[in-house]
């Protein structure tokens, strides 16, 4: 009917709803629901997170390097300080073409070629947003020119910071050390130790300890890094500073070093390749650790030129080598006191027992020679040290054996690196039978024991170890060396001494003989005696060979040191203490290729001891009850 009444209308036919329609509808609703849920997550649940991310688009967080602590001597004289440093840094992502920007900056200030090479290398190695130092130590005028042209130098940022300075330069270089820019080698070293490099290490021109106290006490000196929040615009230009935390400065360090004495020792050594160590026998304080020749550490702080560094490396006197800490030398006759002491303690000899010295000792087909070609005749303990008879110690060493000798040497500080906050410390070498098997794949021979008995062969020591040995010999106690007197204003007490476990009577015999070395008419160092009776010095000379003397050379006459090239001459050594009757200071002197210990090393030791007396440093004495062993003065 409806079709008839309204013929022009079309009636839609209802189609059935299929299963596929339901699926599509459900999918559409799911997608819409997911979008709605995600929008709620972004706008409600995670709104704080994305607000912070948006803030990072305009707020930068920068790490601020802390002020490095200062280093002082025992009298509070500054050895390492901080100076204002006007510098320029570059950010690659802002600068674009780094080389072109350096060329443009070079129109305003001088940029050395080695600085340019370093900048390009660092920029290629680091992330684009990391600031890289371009140049340092600008004058105020140059710094002002860069600031005035800053709008035309995108990515170039002038900054005011601090840099390390060593006011006494070469006098303390081997003790204090120096700092330098952080390199990839430093990062690798830190990672190898199992630690993660701190973010402050990536700040431009951050300086890290490279040697000496600066490196050994890096974490105390460095302090804690600070930070600042800055607001920047789209171009990266700083608009304002929002927040700042200055961090914590490092802890100042006071050393036991006496700067005036250190300076005197370097002056006294002149052009010699040598080392001097002075130690307080009561506290273990190291007053002087002089390694000569030395170098100025200040150029290393900002990067030394290749030419200057090459000149230091090519110097045959090795100014970069810390001789007192890592120079290893045969101790020569300065070792004989320990051999004698080991034999006395083991009951292998007595003070009055004598050996005959014809100038050599025959072992099988080999002759072991004494330094005195004609020999010393009949020799007892006191005369053997006074005149340094080698044959006496060949006999004694053969009796007591290398194991007992080595055990005594280690009691007196040889063969073990001293526990000091210092880089490059060597432990020397006190050989044993097992050592030779492990390292040489050879059995120990009697001849090895004889050579060790006079401080030759495999025996190696450092100047600081010889000073420790002498201090223990002088005081009778196992005093331990120390280099740091106070940290952050808090004094550090000396470590308690160890018990040497040695007879006081036997020590007295050795010390009486050491007195004769300097003060008797036939002592090897008699020409260096100190006339002041209240300030007599006791000691022992030593000469260590650096070349083999052939039988043919002995037959025609051994060459004198002065007739040989410098590098083939013997090393000269002297160890001693003063005052002889109540010791206060012990010292060791090693002069590389100096010839004889009595002529090259002993005069230096005498002058150092006189300086100590003349500058009022001899007022103290060994406290009672600490094992000091008095000696009877021999007639002069």
């Amino acid at each position: 009917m409806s079709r008839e009444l309204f013929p022009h209308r079309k009636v839609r036919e209802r189609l059935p709803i299929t299963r596929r329609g339901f699926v599509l509808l459900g999918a559409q609703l799911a997608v819409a629901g997911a979008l709605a849920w995600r929008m709620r997550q972004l706008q409600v649940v995670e709104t704080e997170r994305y607000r912070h991310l948006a803030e990072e688009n305009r707020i930068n967080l920068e790490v601020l390097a802390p002020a490095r602590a200062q280093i002082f001597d025992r009298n509070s004289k500054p050895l390492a300080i901080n100076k204002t440093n006007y510098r320029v840094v570059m950010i690659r992502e802002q600068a674009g073409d780094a080389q072109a920007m350096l060329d443009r900056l070079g129109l305003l200030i001088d940029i050395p070629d080695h600085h340019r090479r370093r900048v390009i290398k660092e920029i290629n190695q680091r992330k684009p947003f990391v600031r890289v130092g371009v140049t340092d130590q600008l004058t105020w005028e140059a710094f002002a020119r860069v600031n005035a042209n800053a709008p035309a130098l995108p990515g170039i940022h002038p900054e005011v910071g601090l840099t390390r300075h060593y006011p006494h330069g070469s006098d303390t270089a081997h003790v204090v050390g120096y700092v330098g820019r952080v390199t990839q080698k430093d990062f690798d070293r830190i990672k190898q130790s199992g630690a993660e490099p701190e973010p402050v290490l990536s700040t431009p021109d951050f300086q890290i300890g490279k040697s000496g106290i600066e490196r050994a006490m890096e974490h105390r000196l460095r302090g804690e890094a600070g930070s600042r929040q800055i607001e920047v615009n789209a171009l990266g230009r700083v608009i304002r500073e929002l927040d700042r935390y200055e961090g914590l400065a490092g802890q100042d360090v006071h050393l036991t070093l006496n700067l005036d004495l250190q300076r005197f020792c370097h002056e006294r050594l002149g052009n010699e390749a040598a080392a001097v160590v002075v130690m307080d026998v009561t506290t273990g304080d190291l007053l002087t650790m002089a390694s000569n020749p030395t170098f100025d550490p200040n150029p290393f702080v900002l990067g030394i030129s290749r030419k200057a560094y090459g000149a230091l490396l090519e110097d045959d006197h090795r100014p970069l080598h810390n001789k007192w800490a890592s120079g290893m030398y045969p101790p020569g006759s300065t070792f004989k006191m320990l051999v004698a002491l080991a034999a006395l303690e083991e009951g292998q000899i007595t003070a009055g027992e004598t050996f005959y010295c014809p100038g050599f000792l025959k072992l099988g087909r080999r002759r072991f020679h004494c330094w005195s070609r004609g020999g010393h005749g009949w020799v007892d303990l006191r005369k053997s040290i006074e005149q340094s008879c080698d044959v006496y110690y060949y006999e004694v060493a053969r009796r007591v054996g290398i194991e007992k000798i080595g055990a005594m040497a280690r009691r007196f500080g040889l063969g073990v690196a001293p526990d000091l906050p210092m880089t490059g410390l060597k432990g020397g070498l006190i050989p044993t039978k097992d050592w030779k098997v492990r390292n040489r794949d050879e059995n120990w021979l009697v001849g090895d024991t004889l050579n060790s008995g006079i401080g030759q062969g495999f025996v190696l020591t450092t100047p600081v170890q010889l000073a420790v040995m002498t201090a223990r010999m002088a005081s009778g106690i196992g005093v331990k060396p120390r280099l740091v007197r106070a940290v952050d204003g808090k004094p550090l007490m000396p470590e308690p001494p160890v018990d040497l476990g040695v007879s006081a009577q036997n020590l007295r015999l050795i010390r009486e003989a050491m007195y004769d070395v300097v003060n008797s008419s036939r002592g090897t160092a008699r020409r260096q005696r100190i006339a002041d009776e209240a300030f007599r010095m006791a000691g022992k000379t030593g000469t260590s060979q650096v070349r083999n003397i052939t039988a043919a050379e002995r037959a025609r006459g051994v060459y004198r040191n002065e007739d040989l090239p410098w590098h083939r001459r013997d090393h000269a050594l002297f160890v001693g203490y003063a005052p002889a009757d109540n010791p206060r200071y012990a010292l060791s002197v090693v002069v590389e290729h100096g010839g004889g210990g009595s002529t090259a090393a002993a005069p230096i030791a005498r002058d150092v001891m006189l300086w100590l007396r003349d500058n009022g440093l001899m007022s103290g004495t060994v406290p009672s009850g600490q094992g000091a062993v008095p000696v009877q003065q021999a007639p002069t």
Side-chain angles (χ1 to χ4, degrees), residues 498-509:
V498 297
D499 183 10
L500 292 175
V502 177
S503 161
Q505 175 60 29
N506 289 337
L507 270 176
R508 181 177 290 107
L509 293 173

Side-chain angles (χ1 to χ4, degrees), residues 7 43 52 59 69 146 195 215 229 246 258 263 317 329 450 454 470 485 516 575 633-634:
Q43 296 182 9
H52 284 299
I59 297 176
V146 177
R215 177 170 169 178
Q229 283 186 337
E246 293 294 349
N258 184 303
R263 184 183 296 114
H317 281 39
Y329 311 91
L450 269 56
I454 62 168
T470 309
R485 198 176 192 195
D516 290 347
V575 297
Q633 291 191 359

Side-chain angles (χ1 to χ4, degrees), residues 86-256:
Y86 297 114
R87 65 191 182 201
V88 173
V89 301
M90 176 187 291
I91 301 176
R92 186 180 68 183
E93 68 178 5
Q94 298 175 7
D97 187 340
Q99 187 64 60
M101 189 55 62
L102 287 175
D103 291 339
R104 190 183 302 180
L105 181 62
L107 300 175
L108 299 173
I109 60 174
D110 178 47
I111 306 176
D113 290 339
H114 66 280
H115 279 203
R116 286 175 177 262
R117 290 191 296 268
R118 176 188 55 77
V119 171
I120 297 299
K121 180 180 179 181
E122 289 188 18
I123 276 181
N124 292 331
Q125 290 177 343
R126 298 193 177 187
K127 296 179 180 179
F129 57 83
V130 173
R131 290 148 49 225
V132 172
V134 176
T135 188
D136 304 84
Q137 296 295 321
L138 294 175
T139 63
W140 174 251
E141 291 75 11
F143 186 68
R145 283 198 301 271
V146 177
N147 274 277
N149 290 274
L153 299 169
I156 297 297
H157 301 272
E159 296 182 348
V160 180
L162 295 174
T163 191
R164 206 60 158 173
H165 178 68
Y166 304 100
H168 302 285
S170 58
D171 287 330
T172 59
H174 289 107
V175 180
V176 175
Y178 60 88
V179 299
R181 289 187 178 89
V182 183
T183 63
Q184 188 60 45
K185 185 177 179 180
D186 295 314
F187 281 106
D188 295 340
R189 173 171 53 83
I190 294 171
K191 289 180 179 179
Q192 288 174 2
S193 68
E196 279 298 318
E198 299 177 30
V200 70
L201 298 180
S202 297
T203 58
D205 304 319
F206 182 79
Q207 295 168 344
I208 192 173
K210 299 288 187 176
S211 68
I213 290 289
E214 291 278 28
R215 177 170 169 178
M217 300 190 71
E218 168 65 25
H219 286 286
R220 286 185 176 270
L221 293 166
R222 182 193 302 174
E224 180 182 310
S227 62
R228 70 167 183 160
Q229 283 186 337
I230 55 174
E231 184 178 359
V232 298
N233 60 19
L235 298 176
R237 189 176 299 279
V238 176
I239 299 174
R240 58 174 174 154
E241 184 176 290
L242 301 177
D243 189 26
R244 174 183 285 262
Y245 168 60
E246 293 294 349
L248 297 176
Q251 300 174 334
D252 289 343
V253 173
H254 284 73
L255 303 182
T256 59

